[in-house]
Amino acid sequence: MHIILCTKQVPDSTDMRIDPKTNNLIREGVPSVTNPPDLYAAEEALRIKEKFGGILSVVTMGPLQAESSLRELLAMGADYAYHVSDRALAGSDTLATSYTLYMAIKKIVEIHGPFTFIFFGRQAIDGETGQTGPGVAARFGIPIITYAYKIQEINLEEKYVIANRKTYDGEEIVKAKLPAALSITEEASKPRVPSISDIIKAYRAKIVRWNKDDLKLEDDKIGLRGSPTFVKRVFAPPPRKKGQIFDGRNREKDAAIWLVDNLIKVNAFSEKVAEKYEEVKPLPIAQDKTKKFGEVWSTVEHRYGKADSVSWELLGEARRLSRLLGVKCAAVIVGHNIKHLIDECASYGADKVYYIDHPILEDYRTEPYSFALTQLCLKYKPDILLMPGTQNGRDWAGYVATLIPTGLTADGTQLDIDPATGMLLGTRPDFGGNEMSTIVCPKHKPQMVTVRPRVMKIPPKIPNPNVEMIQEEVEIAENKINTQLLKFIPREKIKLEEAKIIVSVGKGLGSPKNLYIVEELAKLLNAEIGATRAVVYSGWLPKDRQVGQTGLIVRPRLYIAIGISGAIQHIVGMQNSDIISAINIDPEAPIFNVSDFGVIGDLFKVVPLLTEELKSRGIKYG
Amino acid sequence: MVEKFDVVVVGAGPAGVSAAIVTARAGLNTVIIERGNIPGEKNLFGGVLFKHPFEKLIPDFVKTAPLERKVVEYQYWILLDDSFIKLVYRDDAFENNPSGYTALRAKFDAWYAKKAQEAGAMLITRTQALEPIIKDGKVIGVNTDRGELFGNIVIAADGANSLLAQKAGLHDEWKPHQLALGVKEVIEVQRTKIDEMFQVKTEEGVAATIIGGPLKGMTGGGFLYTDREALSVGIGVLLSDLVSNNIRPNKLYEKFKRHPAIYPYIKDGILKEYSAHLIPEGGYNAIPKLYTNGMMVVGDAALLVNVVGWEGTNLAAESGILAGETAIYAHKVKDFSANVLKIYETKLRNSFVLRDLRKFRRIPPFLYKNKHFFSSYPEMLRDILRLWHTVDGEPKEIKIKRIRDVIISKVGPIKLIKDISDLIRGILF
């Protein structure tokens, strides 16, 4: 068996520092490490190799320094290492990267024989797109199981693999025909630590290096030239607006009332909903007849006949962008038995709804969904395509972008139209939000962007009787599809990252016995409980509650920090919350620098009073 | 079958890397293991490093090493609760040929370790040596947290917390009065502001040695060094003094940095780094056995720190060089026993390393026993200066009588003479 692992070297994120003067990420002197998710992918690959016998080839595209990552993987147990390095590759976006890796893997196959698996880490922690895996799979025409955390079964005679993967709404068990690609999450088996003799052997091992000529790469498909997207601007995220602080010492009841008043005023307890519908005016460039902008589309994410609200968030944004360009906006529904969703699309503002209804599209699967959407895009040529940044959305977007081909920006948090050119400007966070970059896709259509749930507001419903419906047919035979959804398991409990309200505790709580104070508040608000690293390390709460640089990055509607001083590593994990409130006895606590509403006071008095006040006002989440 | 090395160096600090450069250049199969993610990560010093041993290995050291500023001015500060006394010494001689440079460990060690790799040494990071592997009374390798490593010679360069030498039986555990705890902050201050505050050009810097203030009554001192775009401010106090005075080092440091002599330099700065490290201060008489069959000990692990000149890095580098040379010879005669390795100690004795430590051997125990040096003398000096500078019409005779009284009451003439003679004996002879 021949397994291929694609890897990337990235800056060590645990060492990230912000230059306090410029607010920019300090990149020099930051050591580079193997992308941590790739180590999990390597572990899975090695386990399969050990079970079935065979070889593991690792390949990376990167500067000369990336060689140390290859040696690390050789030390773990990989057999061969290939390093694609060439100045001409600099500036490659995911399309150019997947092309380069595709060509490299073809050459590796010439040397070692055909592959059974191509493994990827879930995503690189710097670019955070997760698009390269689907891109490479699309080029080989093989299925990919993204966000896989457990491989259940591999059958070499009948040529299939069954794996469990995480989705936004739960878990899927997917069966894919071999050869197949997989991207592995950090919930998979912990990567082995190489022994010193392994490291020494790897140090001495030979690594094959290829440049663009060795792989016969076409100049217009690599590097900047081959990248539909490029980074127009990198900038520091704007600092949070300074919040208000109430000194609640000896005035705890007043503090609780003040806090509740303010939180209600800013709608902390409900979703970010736009109150009334505002139609934006077209930009002057919309009048330019020579420009001929296409439509703005957004896809609908659904399961078992129910659409996820992220679809409406995107549709609202699609409508806004379409008005700026003076064109129509459309919702795109790919699925089976989904006609009833058309009305909902209309009510959230779609001028048009394109839909494909076919039994083969019953469940989301990468290949049929991608063929369908690609067909629609090639036929109707939209200008902009927004897709949800959920696991399935990104899986879908990455594959489609490679098939069309076009540029894809991941996790856009702010979208604008450049008034001079009419191009989409997609701004997105890097390194967990410590840096922002604005990306453009000037020469390819549609300009694709994935947008995560709860970034955009859900638009208000509007009467929309004249929505135009366009039904398309697709011709895909089931025997041509290489994956099968065996089972879907809905999610039992909410993950912290998806919680709408988080009540978080720090060491100020004193002891785990006092957690009940916070649990009452959380229960009332239907909130999830988060924790600082110190609390988790003391064993008061499990690791999946940890918010921070080495824990989870969360973006809830409301984050209440109780007894948390605000170490920078914790702040990095929650600074992007919509609304932050903090309760701490220490007026100098750094948490107050990022909170919108801070209360200086004894949490043992303030929190119960807060709970009481909320109860008395009948506040619940909703 | 694990590859067997000629030389296994434990610790990628200045001592270990110097040894590795020497042995690797001579063609010996050398490996350095380092417990940090990158060399320098687990290391710390004030600090000023002196170029002389490094230039022996790297001729263009001054031009290529990531040094901060060349020290052209040395200052000596005595702090009191209500006053301070500063002595400033600047010399053109150091502008053209400086001896010392301020440096930052994380930057410098990472660069220096690369030099060893360039010479052909293998560097394995994230690996900690737990104990030596001893067979038939010979050290034949080290046991790391990732497996065993074998070599003809092990060079223990694992610093102030060294366990290797201890586990090889070369010494007992250090006592609290043989170790100091150093605490420092690197505070970012604009380069041009530093230039202006200290009246230096951009590549030039100042090194201030500080005693007294909140450190009074304890054996220890503080420092302020100018880095390129930051000030390194710190203290080092005997561990036993921290314990007996029941003072938390961070609280002591906070008081120190807020002293009016220091605070104005740093108050608008931004804290970039806060760190602490142990400093071996036992002095000459506490130096352990430096070698045994198959192993040599260098640098801080061998207690080679000169508390009088505040030199450590240059002693470490020199000891590494000498251990490296010894290792080369041992491989030539194919004998790795203590009989041959004792050449290392001989070389050390003939070099400034042990000669300096021996010269000043009386100072550490003297300072340990005479903590009043850090309190009474500064107070006495202040009182004398204050009396002299208070010009209020009182006749000088009376002033001078008062000065005599101060000397008598603070220290006493006999003690004063004894202290002076001890110091002279300790330093000048």
Side-chain angles (χ1 to χ4, degrees), chain B residues 52-73:
Chain B
H52 62 96
F54 298 98
E55 282 190 320
K56 285 200 281 196
L57 297 182
I58 302 169
D60 56 353
F61 175 74
V62 167
K63 280 212 201 72
T64 57
L67 302 166
E68 299 295 306
R69 292 178 184 247
K70 63 181 175 188
V71 180
V72 298
E73 181 176 296

Short mmCIF file of all heavy atoms in Angstrom, two decimals, chain B residues 52-73:
data_model
loop_
_atom_site.label_atom_id
_atom_site.label_comp_id
_atom_site.label_asym_id
_atom_site.label_seq_id
_atom_site.Cartn_x
_atom_site.Cartn_y
_atom_site.Cartn_z
N HIS B 52 35.95 37.81 23.81
CA HIS B 52 37.25 37.19 23.52
C HIS B 52 37.23 35.68 23.21
O HIS B 52 37.87 35.26 22.25
CB HIS B 52 38.29 37.53 24.60
CG HIS B 52 37.94 37.05 25.98
ND1 HIS B 52 38.42 35.88 26.49
CD2 HIS B 52 37.16 37.58 26.95
CE1 HIS B 52 37.94 35.71 27.73
NE2 HIS B 52 37.18 36.73 28.02
N PRO B 53 36.52 34.84 23.94
CA PRO B 53 36.59 33.43 23.54
C PRO B 53 35.85 33.17 22.22
O PRO B 53 36.25 32.31 21.44
CB PRO B 53 35.90 32.69 24.69
CG PRO B 53 35.11 33.70 25.42
CD PRO B 53 35.63 35.05 25.09
N PHE B 54 34.78 33.93 21.95
CA PHE B 54 34.00 33.69 20.74
C PHE B 54 34.79 34.05 19.50
O PHE B 54 34.67 33.39 18.47
CB PHE B 54 32.70 34.49 20.79
CG PHE B 54 31.81 34.10 21.92
CD1 PHE B 54 31.79 34.84 23.10
CD2 PHE B 54 31.01 32.98 21.84
CE1 PHE B 54 30.99 34.47 24.17
CE2 PHE B 54 30.19 32.60 22.90
CZ PHE B 54 30.19 33.34 24.06
N GLU B 55 35.65 35.07 19.63
CA GLU B 55 36.43 35.47 18.46
C GLU B 55 37.44 34.40 18.09
O GLU B 55 37.89 34.33 16.95
CB GLU B 55 37.14 36.81 18.74
CG GLU B 55 36.20 37.98 18.62
CD GLU B 55 36.91 39.31 18.63
OE1 GLU B 55 37.88 39.45 19.42
OE2 GLU B 55 36.50 40.19 17.87
N LYS B 56 37.80 33.57 19.07
CA LYS B 56 38.75 32.50 18.75
C LYS B 56 38.11 31.52 17.77
O LYS B 56 38.76 30.97 16.90
CB LYS B 56 39.15 31.74 20.03
CG LYS B 56 40.13 32.52 20.90
CD LYS B 56 40.87 31.60 21.85
CE LYS B 56 40.02 31.24 23.04
NZ LYS B 56 40.85 30.68 24.15
N LEU B 57 36.81 31.29 17.93
CA LEU B 57 36.14 30.33 17.07
C LEU B 57 35.57 30.98 15.82
O LEU B 57 35.50 30.35 14.77
CB LEU B 57 34.99 29.65 17.83
CG LEU B 57 35.38 28.82 19.05
CD1 LEU B 57 34.14 28.19 19.66
CD2 LEU B 57 36.39 27.77 18.68
N ILE B 58 35.11 32.22 15.95
CA ILE B 58 34.46 32.88 14.84
C ILE B 58 35.14 34.23 14.62
O ILE B 58 34.86 35.19 15.31
CB ILE B 58 32.97 33.08 15.13
CG1 ILE B 58 32.31 31.72 15.41
CG2 ILE B 58 32.27 33.77 13.96
CD1 ILE B 58 30.92 31.84 15.96
N PRO B 59 36.03 34.29 13.65
CA PRO B 59 36.83 35.51 13.47
C PRO B 59 35.97 36.76 13.25
O PRO B 59 36.32 37.82 13.75
CB PRO B 59 37.67 35.20 12.23
CG PRO B 59 37.70 33.72 12.15
CD PRO B 59 36.43 33.22 12.75
N ASP B 60 34.87 36.63 12.51
CA ASP B 60 34.06 37.83 12.28
C ASP B 60 32.89 37.89 13.24
O ASP B 60 31.79 38.35 12.89
CB ASP B 60 33.60 37.90 10.83
CG ASP B 60 32.84 36.64 10.41
OD1 ASP B 60 32.78 35.68 11.21
OD2 ASP B 60 32.32 36.63 9.29
N PHE B 61 33.14 37.41 14.44
CA PHE B 61 32.09 37.32 15.45
C PHE B 61 31.36 38.64 15.65
O PHE B 61 30.14 38.71 15.61
CB PHE B 61 32.71 36.87 16.78
CG PHE B 61 31.76 36.85 17.93
CD1 PHE B 61 30.81 35.86 18.04
CD2 PHE B 61 31.81 37.83 18.92
CE1 PHE B 61 29.92 35.84 19.11
CE2 PHE B 61 30.93 37.82 20.00
CZ PHE B 61 29.99 36.82 20.09
N VAL B 62 32.10 39.71 15.84
CA VAL B 62 31.49 40.99 16.16
C VAL B 62 30.57 41.45 15.03
O VAL B 62 29.53 42.05 15.27
CB VAL B 62 32.57 42.03 16.48
CG1 VAL B 62 31.99 43.42 16.50
CG2 VAL B 62 33.21 41.71 17.82
N LYS B 63 30.98 41.15 13.81
CA LYS B 63 30.17 41.63 12.68
C LYS B 63 28.94 40.78 12.46
O LYS B 63 27.91 41.28 12.02
CB LYS B 63 31.01 41.60 11.39
CG LYS B 63 31.94 42.76 11.22
CD LYS B 63 32.09 43.09 9.72
CE LYS B 63 33.37 43.86 9.49
NZ LYS B 63 34.58 42.99 9.65
N THR B 64 29.04 39.48 12.74
CA THR B 64 27.94 38.60 12.34
C THR B 64 27.03 38.16 13.48
O THR B 64 25.91 37.72 13.24
CB THR B 64 28.47 37.32 11.66
OG1 THR B 64 29.37 36.68 12.57
CG2 THR B 64 29.21 37.66 10.38
N ALA B 65 27.50 38.25 14.71
CA ALA B 65 26.65 37.78 15.81
C ALA B 65 25.54 38.77 16.09
O ALA B 65 25.73 39.97 15.94
CB ALA B 65 27.49 37.56 17.07
N PRO B 66 24.37 38.28 16.53
CA PRO B 66 23.26 39.18 16.85
C PRO B 66 23.47 39.80 18.23
O PRO B 66 22.82 39.43 19.20
CB PRO B 66 22.04 38.27 16.84
CG PRO B 66 22.57 36.93 17.21
CD PRO B 66 23.98 36.86 16.70
N LEU B 67 24.42 40.76 18.30
CA LEU B 67 24.70 41.43 19.56
C LEU B 67 23.86 42.69 19.64
O LEU B 67 23.45 43.23 18.61
CB LEU B 67 26.20 41.76 19.63
CG LEU B 67 27.09 40.53 19.52
CD1 LEU B 67 28.53 40.96 19.25
CD2 LEU B 67 27.02 39.68 20.78
N GLU B 68 23.64 43.16 20.84
CA GLU B 68 22.80 44.35 21.01
C GLU B 68 23.64 45.62 20.88
O GLU B 68 23.65 46.24 19.83
CB GLU B 68 22.05 44.29 22.34
CG GLU B 68 21.12 43.08 22.47
CD GLU B 68 19.98 43.11 21.47
OE1 GLU B 68 19.26 44.11 21.43
OE2 GLU B 68 19.81 42.13 20.72
N ARG B 69 24.33 46.01 21.96
CA ARG B 69 25.16 47.22 21.87
C ARG B 69 26.54 46.93 22.45
O ARG B 69 26.67 46.13 23.37
CB ARG B 69 24.53 48.36 22.68
CG ARG B 69 23.22 48.89 22.10
CD ARG B 69 22.66 49.98 22.99
NE ARG B 69 21.37 50.45 22.53
CZ ARG B 69 21.14 51.68 22.04
NH1 ARG B 69 22.14 52.55 21.97
NH2 ARG B 69 19.94 52.02 21.66
N LYS B 70 27.55 47.63 21.91
CA LYS B 70 28.88 47.46 22.51
C LYS B 70 28.97 48.37 23.73
O LYS B 70 28.53 49.52 23.69
CB LYS B 70 29.99 47.78 21.49
CG LYS B 70 30.03 49.21 21.00
CD LYS B 70 31.14 49.40 19.99
CE LYS B 70 31.07 50.83 19.44
NZ LYS B 70 31.96 51.06 18.33
N VAL B 71 29.53 47.82 24.79
CA VAL B 71 29.54 48.60 26.03
C VAL B 71 30.72 49.57 26.03
O VAL B 71 31.88 49.16 25.99
CB VAL B 71 29.63 47.67 27.25
CG1 VAL B 71 29.63 48.49 28.53
CG2 VAL B 71 28.45 46.69 27.26
N VAL B 72 30.39 50.85 26.04
CA VAL B 72 31.45 51.86 26.07
C VAL B 72 31.49 52.56 27.42
O VAL B 72 32.39 53.36 27.69
CB VAL B 72 31.25 52.93 24.96
CG1 VAL B 72 31.31 52.30 23.59
CG2 VAL B 72 29.95 53.68 25.16
N GLU B 73 30.50 52.28 28.25
CA GLU B 73 30.42 52.98 29.53
C GLU B 73 29.98 51.99 30.60
O GLU B 73 29.01 51.26 30.44
CB GLU B 73 29.41 54.11 29.42
CG GLU B 73 29.25 54.93 30.68
CD GLU B 73 28.30 56.09 30.44
OE1 GLU B 73 28.62 56.97 29.62
OE2 GLU B 73 27.23 56.11 31.07
#
